[in-house]
Amino acid sequence: MKIDLKTPSAVATIYIGDEVIATRLPYLLQGQKNFVLTDENVYSLHRAFFEKWMQGETVCVLPAGEAYKNFSSLQTVLEKMVGAGLKRTSKLFAVGGGVIGDLGGLCAALYMRGIECVQIPTTLLAMVDSSVGGKTAIDVGGVKNVVGAFHQPKEVLIDPMFLGTLPDREWKCGIGEIVKYAAMDVRTLTALRENGGKMSKELAVSLIENSVRFKAGVVSRDEKETGERKCLNVGHTTGHAIELAYGLSHGESVLWGMKLETMLAMDAGVCKRSVGEELISLVDNALSLAPVGAVDLSTLGKAAEKARMDKKNVNDESVVMSVAKDEGEWTLLTMPVSEYAQKLQELANKLS
Ligand code: NAD
Ligand code: GLY
């Protein structure tokens, strides 16, 4: 499958399928020096991939994890790019999950004021979300994704072969972002509704295709997130606060964020109850897929303070959330920080 994401300044082409590496990669690599960024897990689990396709290229292998999506990694990678003698025509290939994709995309945006980036996502989360849409970033000073750039990848090559080595916890994280799409996209909601908790390779590929098609449509209409693209942040305001406060992974945090924000939205009369309850039950199914990272519910109100720094907020006093409203519909819910923290703590007390 081939999907074109057209923005005013770029066309990013997304290929999905078993054959995409063999058909696209030799063409993309030829004719110039290139740079490959990956992490230690992906490099050791998929060594054969690098040996087969990336011979002769500079391969930079970083330690894995969100903790490395930082200034120090940015500096390391940029210095290695300079050291490799890359030219304006060189490409950066980001082979990994969302951390490598976000960091690699930012390095590509900065090197010589922008070289082409090819995203090769290896986690389900990166396949359904982070590799598409051109958001690149690092975390700085305890704030998620606060330094970054919009830089559309030239191509995104989504090969489900990489899913073969994914641990249960990473499946759960990817399903977290898919449940997010279910809050706005009836096709994804229907697919999850009809397939319960079972995830075959065929279902995963069809959910990836739905998610990418949906996201490409949204981003092509609103690349810089002035309006419609905010829908892609369902669950993310509280999710990011939980990620920072408890060190859960991004996908797990988004699942918790979606659960809590949907409860807040139902309480506020903003989200239709039957729709919210179905969404929460999809979230609960996903959370039960693998041992859940620990959220200390007794301190949730305090953790919620971290949402004060969320990029969607327009001032320091209130928190803005993208929430489900009805089937296939979403809206913004704004609350004073103190009320938000208090309500979250009340919900947490009920859950514990
Ligand atoms: P990640 O990149 O840390 O990957 C999760 C773990 O899976 C890592 O330990 C990694 O080494 C391992 N891994 C990767 N591929 C594997 C494979 N095929 N088999 C086995 N293990 C593998 O995290 P993630 O969940 O992929 O992405 C989360 C990041 O993405 C966060 O930083 C988040 O902010 C970002 N994100 C960005 C966007 C965007 O639009 N740019 C959207 C959503 C999330
Ligand atoms: N993951 C949110 C976005 O791409 O806008």
Side-chain angles (χ1 to χ4, degrees):
M1 166 167 289
K2 174 174 179 275
I3 298 170
D4 277 338
L5 190 169
K6 292 191 182 134
T7 70
S9 59
V11 179
T13 308
I14 302 131
Y15 294 89
I16 307 169
D18 293 325
E19 71 303 336
V20 298
I21 298 294
T23 52
R24 296 304 303 160
L25 206 44
Y27 164 76
L28 291 165
L29 285 162
Q30 78 188 1
Q32 70 281 315
K33 285 183 192 174
N34 298 294
F35 191 84
V36 183
L37 183 65
T38 190
D39 75 26
E40 284 168 354
N41 293 337
V42 177
Y43 191 66
S44 71
L45 288 165
H46 293 279
R47 185 72 68 100
F49 166 84
F50 293 95
E51 285 172 358
K52 179 165 183 188
W53 299 107
M54 306 302 195
Q55 284 287 348
E57 306 294 354
T58 304
V59 180
C60 172
V61 185
L62 292 181
E66 184 75 27
Y68 293 92
K69 202 174 116 175
N70 62 13
F71 250 132
S72 163
S73 300
L74 184 74
Q75 181 173 356
T76 302
V77 177
L78 287 172
E79 283 175 358
K80 283 189 193 290
M81 290 170 78
V82 175
L86 300 187
K87 303 285 180 272
R88 283 213 169 107
T89 51
S90 298
K91 294 185 178 69
L92 185 148
F93 292 78
V95 187
V99 166
I100 289 299
D102 280 11
L103 173 66
L106 183 57
C107 292
L110 292 173
Y111 187 82
M112 290 191 178
R113 302 194 185 91
I115 61 167
E116 288 182 345
C117 177
V118 176
Q119 294 277 349
I120 304 184
T122 63
T123 61
L124 180 61
L125 183 145
M127 292 182 190
V128 296
D129 194 352
S130 61
S131 63
V132 173
K135 277 190 182 175
T136 75
I138 54 170
D139 309 331
V140 176
V143 184
K144 279 276 300 177
N145 299 331
V146 71
V147 172
F150 288 97
H151 187 63
Q152 291 297 338
K154 175 80 184 148
E155 294 195 9
V156 183
L157 308 182
I158 303 182
D159 186 335
M161 164 272 289
F162 287 107
L163 297 175
T165 53
L166 218 53
D168 288 351
R169 188 176 182 193
E170 301 310 330
W171 276 96
K172 175 174 70 167
C173 293
I175 293 170
E177 294 284 6
I178 294 172
V179 175
K180 170 188 87 174
Y181 287 108
M184 307 155 270
D185 175 27
V186 177
R187 284 172 77 138
T188 299
L189 176 65
T190 310
L192 289 177
R193 189 184 273 158
E194 287 172 359
N195 288 281
K198 289 181 251 92
M199 184 64 74
S200 61
K201 182 186 162 196
E202 289 68 33
L203 176 60
V205 171
S206 126
L207 288 166
I208 293 166
E209 287 174 357
N210 275 353
S211 304
V212 169
R213 206 180 298 108
F214 182 84
K215 182 165 183 178
V218 171
V219 174
S220 61
R221 292 185 294 273
D222 178 23
E223 183 185 24
K224 300 282 168 70
E225 201 172 304
T226 53
E228 184 185 356
R229 187 167 181 168
K230 292 187 179 133
C231 76
L232 300 175
N233 295 320
V234 165
H236 280 58
T237 303
T238 306
H240 283 164
I242 286 175
E243 187 173 349
L244 291 168
Y246 302 112
L248 265 64
S249 67
H250 179 78
E252 282 170 331
S253 307
V254 166
L255 280 164
W256 275 99
M258 250 184 303
K259 177 169 173 141
L260 294 161
E261 290 183 1
T262 305
M263 290 167 100
L264 286 175
M266 286 193 298
D267 277 1
V270 163
C271 175
K272 192 169 162 189
R273 199 151 278 279
S274 58
V275 172
E277 279 165 1
E278 177 165 30
L279 201 54
I280 289 172
S281 117
L282 290 173
V283 168
D284 284 339
N285 281 346
L287 282 173
S288 66
L289 281 178
V292 178
V295 171
D296 177 0
L297 290 170
S298 70
T299 59
L300 193 64
K302 182 146 181 36
E305 286 289 322
K306 300 218 178 263
R308 204 187 275 278
M309 287 298 291
D310 193 87
K311 294 194 298 303
K312 290 177 294 306
N313 299 342
V314 284
N315 59 46
D316 286 345
E317 280 73 50
S318 45
V319 170
V320 180
M321 292 165 274
S322 304
V323 295
K325 181 178 171 194
D326 202 339
E327 216 164 279
E329 286 180 40
W330 68 283
T331 189
L332 291 176
L333 174 62
T334 304
M335 260 185 204
V337 178
S338 54
E339 182 188 341
Y340 165 77
Q342 188 195 331
K343 289 211 159 131
L344 271 189
Q345 190 56 61
E346 284 165 16
L347 286 175
N349 295 343
K350 279 193 214 155
L351 288 174
S352 55

